[in-house]
Amino acid sequence: MTVPTQQITPQGDRSRRGRTGRARSRVAGSKEGRRAAYAMVAPAVVLLVLFLIVPVLLAFGLSFTNARLISPNPPRFVGMDNFLRAFTSDPTFIRSLINTFLFAAVIVPVQAGLGLVMAILVNQRLRGVTWFRVIFFIPVVTSIVVVSILWRFMYQGDGLINSMIDTITFGAFQGTAWLSNTNTALGAIIVLSIWQAVGFHMIIWLSGLQTIPEELYEAARMDGANGWQQFKDVTWPGLRSTMVFVLVTITIAALGLFVQIDVMTQGGPRDSTTTLVFHAVRQGYRQQETGYGAAISLIFFVLVLIVALIQRYLTREKD
Amino acid sequence: MSTTTPSRGSTGHDSAARDAETRRSKDEASTRRRRRLLVGYLPMVLLAGFFLFPVIFMFVSSLKPDAQILGDIGSPQAFLPVGDISLQNYSDVFDRVPVGRFLFNSVLVTTCIVGLGLIVNSMCGFALSRLEWSGRKVLLTVVIATLIVPFETIAIPMVYWVSKLPTLVFENNVPMYDFGWLNSYHVQIIPFIANAFSIFLFTQYFSTIPKSLDEAARIDGAGWFTIYRRIIVPLAGPAFATVAILTFLPAWNQYLWPLMVVQQESLRPVMVGMQYFFQLNTAWGEVMAYTSLITLPVLVMFLAFQRAFVSSIASSGVKG
């Protein structure tokens, strides 16, 4: 699901092996040990090959063919045709690319920032703070399908959101049918996406906050640092690796936006909410053009890969 | 943040003035404390309202007839179970769609993914963390590398792939093979059993358990499977809980995959079953009843095990 920044290195057991020495490697490296190891990894390896490695290779392979989901003819190699088609003669694809970037550009800073604010709030030493933590987390355990349907209902022209806006602004602001308006549909989806997922990142930030030793704050206070200075000089530097992780997971999730679109707008109105993955499913599954769908999926994958490489670069720099 | 009272230049004041000063600073301190509580709680209360209002609205609306839901929207009653309250929507849902069947399908698929996943991935993690064999490092690298592949990337090619896989069918009790995994339970389960992230978590957790335990057991003549089952598994409760929770949520919430591979109504899970409500005029009361129905079990589980939920999410993030 995500890219953990902590990698497993055999260093831990190497130091331990130093002590127990040769006896261990003789036992573990034994024929019986090897046979047990192969037997134990076999089910996972077979399944990973069949349902992860092969599909990844197929994504590459099929995107250069005209494969169709149900077709009497075998797939034919068509070179770069699918990619050319996407970038030169499929305006909906370009629109999907732009929408996906727009969505990510807004949601990454807003969701990460709000998550951090919430984490700081629920990290206070106040009575009942755990309950707020639980409440903020409730949307995360609610299925995104349910959330999308619920908000679709609330976003109607005569729905709950508009009546609440009407009450709060004393009728000064006129709402709209948020999801049927090309200017507001994507923004409306951004709001509910943040509502659903921000609690997850609050927890990640919170666990980052709790790794910062209390003594650092005490020392800063003794030096006369105020709240903002403590945040700037103690909290923020201590959250660096957490920040990279949060930004990367939000970006990757944002690039994969699908369910909200499928349930709420089907890409409309007038392509204002179509996204990369939604377009890939529409072409590759609903239109049964597997080859073209695979090409779009591959473009999506390349974007994710770029983000992951940036993460590697950022976390390496730290060491 | 600190509670020190402000010391304004008090030198040269007489005692009465000093008393007044102390009183004032005491008052000031208590207003400040009150303000601090307000500053501490107010944003949290506002945010709690933001996160709760849609959920409350959903549950409350599921108890009301459609006309009343729309009528209440303009007033605070939208969030209160008042008026014509009944479970009518729920019984209508059961009449209209095979909810029981959908729930059964989801429970079956989720249980298999989580249960089989725990076994397969923990065994793999055991071999990766505690046994020495050639290929160990390669597999570990591959597992870590595949963590970044989002499911959406491979979904389309995978539909194509499973539609070509051989499957066992019985015709007149004679086993035969046929092609295509579409419209079945196994197509919803098998691809999701092995999970790189679960393997990674197990490997990481197992490597924190002292290896001397294995050696002691080896000397007593225990085989590796026995060590896995009798020593490591009982010691790795937290890892199993974390993986169970982290695989349960996406399995229960599966949408894209069953949408594509299961057309047959009787095999569909709850999330896809929702589509039945959007055919003609949407009966929102029933929709709210259905969404409440499929949200409630997860919500109850979350509230019961909230500590475990939160800590497993935290462990999916950065450590150290």
Side-chain angles (χ1 to χ4, degrees), chain A residues 252-253 256-258 277 280-281 297 300, chain B residues 149-157 256:
Chain A
I252 293 179
L257 174 66
F258 171 77
V277 175
V281 172
S297 305
F300 162 67
Chain B
V149 181
F151 177 70
E152 291 89 350
T153 317
I154 54 172
I156 303 287
L256 172 58

mmCIF file of all heavy atoms in Angstrom, chain A residues 252-253 256-258 277 280-281 297 300, chain B residues 149-157 256:
data_model
loop_
_atom_site.group_PDB
_atom_site.id
_atom_site.type_symbol
_atom_site.label_atom_id
_atom_site.label_comp_id
_atom_site.label_asym_id
_atom_site.label_seq_id
_atom_site.Cartn_x
_atom_site.Cartn_y
_atom_site.Cartn_z
ATOM 1 N N ILE A 252 0.039 9.641 -3.837
ATOM 2 C CA ILE A 252 -0.257 8.404 -4.565
ATOM 3 C C ILE A 252 -1.750 8.102 -4.518
ATOM 4 O O ILE A 252 -2.365 7.743 -5.527
ATOM 5 C CB ILE A 252 0.585 7.237 -4.005
ATOM 6 C CG1 ILE A 252 2.073 7.485 -4.330
ATOM 7 C CG2 ILE A 252 0.133 5.905 -4.592
ATOM 8 C CD1 ILE A 252 3.011 6.429 -3.819
ATOM 9 N N ALA A 253 -2.361 8.275 -3.342
ATOM 10 C CA ALA A 253 -3.800 8.040 -3.238
ATOM 11 C C ALA A 253 -4.568 9.016 -4.119
ATOM 12 O O ALA A 253 -5.546 8.642 -4.775
ATOM 13 C CB ALA A 253 -4.255 8.161 -1.785
ATOM 14 N N GLY A 256 -4.714 8.142 -7.717
ATOM 15 C CA GLY A 256 -5.547 6.975 -7.995
ATOM 16 C C GLY A 256 -7.035 7.228 -7.815
ATOM 17 O O GLY A 256 -7.819 6.283 -7.758
ATOM 18 N N LEU A 257 -7.441 8.483 -7.730
ATOM 19 C CA LEU A 257 -8.852 8.825 -7.493
ATOM 20 C C LEU A 257 -9.789 8.084 -8.450
ATOM 21 O O LEU A 257 -9.693 8.232 -9.661
ATOM 22 C CB LEU A 257 -9.031 10.342 -7.665
ATOM 23 C CG LEU A 257 -10.451 10.886 -7.611
ATOM 24 C CD1 LEU A 257 -11.038 10.696 -6.217
ATOM 25 C CD2 LEU A 257 -10.472 12.350 -7.991
ATOM 26 N N PHE A 258 -10.690 7.287 -7.893
ATOM 27 C CA PHE A 258 -11.634 6.559 -8.744
ATOM 28 C C PHE A 258 -13.047 6.465 -8.151
ATOM 29 O O PHE A 258 -14.019 6.859 -8.779
ATOM 30 C CB PHE A 258 -11.113 5.156 -9.051
ATOM 31 C CG PHE A 258 -12.128 4.282 -9.726
ATOM 32 C CD1 PHE A 258 -12.402 4.452 -11.077
ATOM 33 C CD2 PHE A 258 -12.849 3.336 -9.016
ATOM 34 C CE1 PHE A 258 -13.372 3.680 -11.703
ATOM 35 C CE2 PHE A 258 -13.817 2.560 -9.642
ATOM 36 C CZ PHE A 258 -14.078 2.732 -10.982
ATOM 37 N N VAL A 277 -7.543 7.171 -13.512
ATOM 38 C CA VAL A 277 -7.989 5.799 -13.255
ATOM 39 C C VAL A 277 -9.422 5.606 -13.736
ATOM 40 O O VAL A 277 -9.767 4.567 -14.296
ATOM 41 C CB VAL A 277 -7.841 5.444 -11.764
ATOM 42 C CG1 VAL A 277 -8.411 4.066 -11.485
ATOM 43 C CG2 VAL A 277 -6.376 5.496 -11.356
ATOM 44 N N ALA A 280 -9.169 5.098 -17.362
ATOM 45 C CA ALA A 280 -8.611 3.772 -17.658
ATOM 46 C C ALA A 280 -9.688 2.700 -17.535
ATOM 47 O O ALA A 280 -9.779 1.799 -18.369
ATOM 48 C CB ALA A 280 -7.447 3.471 -16.722
ATOM 49 N N VAL A 281 -10.525 2.802 -16.494
ATOM 50 C CA VAL A 281 -11.583 1.807 -16.302
ATOM 51 C C VAL A 281 -12.652 1.963 -17.379
ATOM 52 O O VAL A 281 -13.159 0.977 -17.929
ATOM 53 C CB VAL A 281 -12.199 1.924 -14.884
ATOM 54 C CG1 VAL A 281 -13.419 1.029 -14.750
ATOM 55 C CG2 VAL A 281 -11.163 1.571 -13.834
ATOM 56 N N SER A 297 -3.234 2.993 -17.607
ATOM 57 C CA SER A 297 -2.788 2.531 -16.290
ATOM 58 C C SER A 297 -1.278 2.696 -16.158
ATOM 59 O O SER A 297 -0.774 3.041 -15.085
ATOM 60 C CB SER A 297 -3.133 1.054 -16.082
ATOM 61 O OG SER A 297 -4.498 0.838 -16.280
ATOM 62 N N PHE A 300 -0.352 6.196 -15.456
ATOM 63 C CA PHE A 300 -0.619 6.421 -14.032
ATOM 64 C C PHE A 300 0.509 5.850 -13.179
ATOM 65 O O PHE A 300 1.014 6.495 -12.256
ATOM 66 C CB PHE A 300 -1.964 5.773 -13.678
ATOM 67 C CG PHE A 300 -2.191 5.535 -12.212
ATOM 68 C CD1 PHE A 300 -2.330 6.593 -11.333
ATOM 69 C CD2 PHE A 300 -2.287 4.251 -11.711
ATOM 70 C CE1 PHE A 300 -2.540 6.383 -9.987
ATOM 71 C CE2 PHE A 300 -2.497 4.026 -10.370
ATOM 72 C CZ PHE A 300 -2.624 5.091 -9.501
ATOM 73 N N VAL B 149 3.348 -0.538 -5.912
ATOM 74 C CA VAL B 149 2.431 -0.752 -7.037
ATOM 75 C C VAL B 149 0.995 -0.604 -6.547
ATOM 76 O O VAL B 149 0.492 -1.453 -5.828
ATOM 77 C CB VAL B 149 2.632 -2.146 -7.662
ATOM 78 C CG1 VAL B 149 1.692 -2.333 -8.837
ATOM 79 C CG2 VAL B 149 4.065 -2.345 -8.087
ATOM 80 N N PRO B 150 0.299 0.455 -6.929
ATOM 81 C CA PRO B 150 -1.081 0.587 -6.492
ATOM 82 C C PRO B 150 -1.967 -0.384 -7.275
ATOM 83 O O PRO B 150 -1.679 -0.665 -8.437
ATOM 84 C CB PRO B 150 -1.448 2.029 -6.826
ATOM 85 C CG PRO B 150 -0.240 2.657 -7.412
ATOM 86 C CD PRO B 150 0.705 1.564 -7.795
ATOM 87 N N PHE B 151 -3.010 -0.864 -6.622
ATOM 88 C CA PHE B 151 -3.867 -1.841 -7.275
ATOM 89 C C PHE B 151 -4.461 -1.296 -8.574
ATOM 90 O O PHE B 151 -4.629 -2.034 -9.548
ATOM 91 C CB PHE B 151 -4.985 -2.290 -6.331
ATOM 92 C CG PHE B 151 -5.933 -3.248 -6.978
ATOM 93 C CD1 PHE B 151 -5.531 -4.539 -7.293
ATOM 94 C CD2 PHE B 151 -7.215 -2.856 -7.312
ATOM 95 C CE1 PHE B 151 -6.386 -5.422 -7.911
ATOM 96 C CE2 PHE B 151 -8.092 -3.730 -7.940
ATOM 97 C CZ PHE B 151 -7.663 -5.011 -8.239
ATOM 98 N N GLU B 152 -4.747 0.004 -8.595
ATOM 99 C CA GLU B 152 -5.371 0.598 -9.780
ATOM 100 C C GLU B 152 -4.509 0.421 -11.033
ATOM 101 O O GLU B 152 -5.038 0.387 -12.143
ATOM 102 C CB GLU B 152 -5.633 2.094 -9.559
ATOM 103 C CG GLU B 152 -6.717 2.397 -8.540
ATOM 104 C CD GLU B 152 -6.165 2.498 -7.125
ATOM 105 O OE1 GLU B 152 -4.980 2.140 -6.923
ATOM 106 O OE2 GLU B 152 -6.899 2.919 -6.234
ATOM 107 N N THR B 153 -3.194 0.311 -10.858
ATOM 108 C CA THR B 153 -2.312 0.144 -12.012
ATOM 109 C C THR B 153 -2.532 -1.172 -12.710
ATOM 110 O O THR B 153 -2.460 -1.271 -13.925
ATOM 111 C CB THR B 153 -0.832 0.134 -11.567
ATOM 112 O OG1 THR B 153 -0.650 1.141 -10.627
ATOM 113 C CG2 THR B 153 0.083 0.320 -12.730
ATOM 114 N N ILE B 154 -2.759 -2.224 -11.899
ATOM 115 C CA ILE B 154 -2.804 -3.547 -12.495
ATOM 116 C C ILE B 154 -4.232 -4.050 -12.659
ATOM 117 O O ILE B 154 -4.450 -5.144 -13.164
ATOM 118 C CB ILE B 154 -1.990 -4.554 -11.658
ATOM 119 C CG1 ILE B 154 -2.445 -4.534 -10.199
ATOM 120 C CG2 ILE B 154 -0.506 -4.256 -11.752
ATOM 121 C CD1 ILE B 154 -1.817 -5.633 -9.366
ATOM 122 N N ALA B 155 -5.222 -3.237 -12.249
ATOM 123 C CA ALA B 155 -6.612 -3.716 -12.270
ATOM 124 C C ALA B 155 -7.045 -4.144 -13.676
ATOM 125 O O ALA B 155 -7.588 -5.233 -13.854
ATOM 126 C CB ALA B 155 -7.537 -2.637 -11.718
ATOM 127 N N ILE B 156 -6.790 -3.276 -14.666
ATOM 128 C CA ILE B 156 -7.263 -3.561 -16.025
ATOM 129 C C ILE B 156 -6.577 -4.813 -16.605
ATOM 130 O O ILE B 156 -7.252 -5.750 -17.045
ATOM 131 C CB ILE B 156 -7.035 -2.341 -16.947
ATOM 132 C CG1 ILE B 156 -7.740 -1.113 -16.382
ATOM 133 C CG2 ILE B 156 -7.458 -2.631 -18.379
ATOM 134 C CD1 ILE B 156 -9.230 -1.134 -16.502
ATOM 135 N N PRO B 157 -5.223 -4.859 -16.590
ATOM 136 C CA PRO B 157 -4.580 -6.086 -17.088
ATOM 137 C C PRO B 157 -5.003 -7.329 -16.294
ATOM 138 O O PRO B 157 -5.085 -8.424 -16.853
ATOM 139 C CB PRO B 157 -3.084 -5.832 -16.900
ATOM 140 C CG PRO B 157 -2.926 -4.441 -16.476
ATOM 141 C CD PRO B 157 -4.229 -3.817 -16.237
ATOM 142 N N LEU B 256 -13.830 -1.449 -6.828
ATOM 143 C CA LEU B 256 -13.424 -1.492 -8.234
ATOM 144 C C LEU B 256 -13.333 -2.917 -8.771
ATOM 145 O O LEU B 256 -13.853 -3.246 -9.836
ATOM 146 C CB LEU B 256 -12.067 -0.770 -8.385
ATOM 147 C CG LEU B 256 -11.362 -0.866 -9.742
ATOM 148 C CD1 LEU B 256 -12.239 -0.326 -10.852
ATOM 149 C CD2 LEU B 256 -10.033 -0.131 -9.710
#
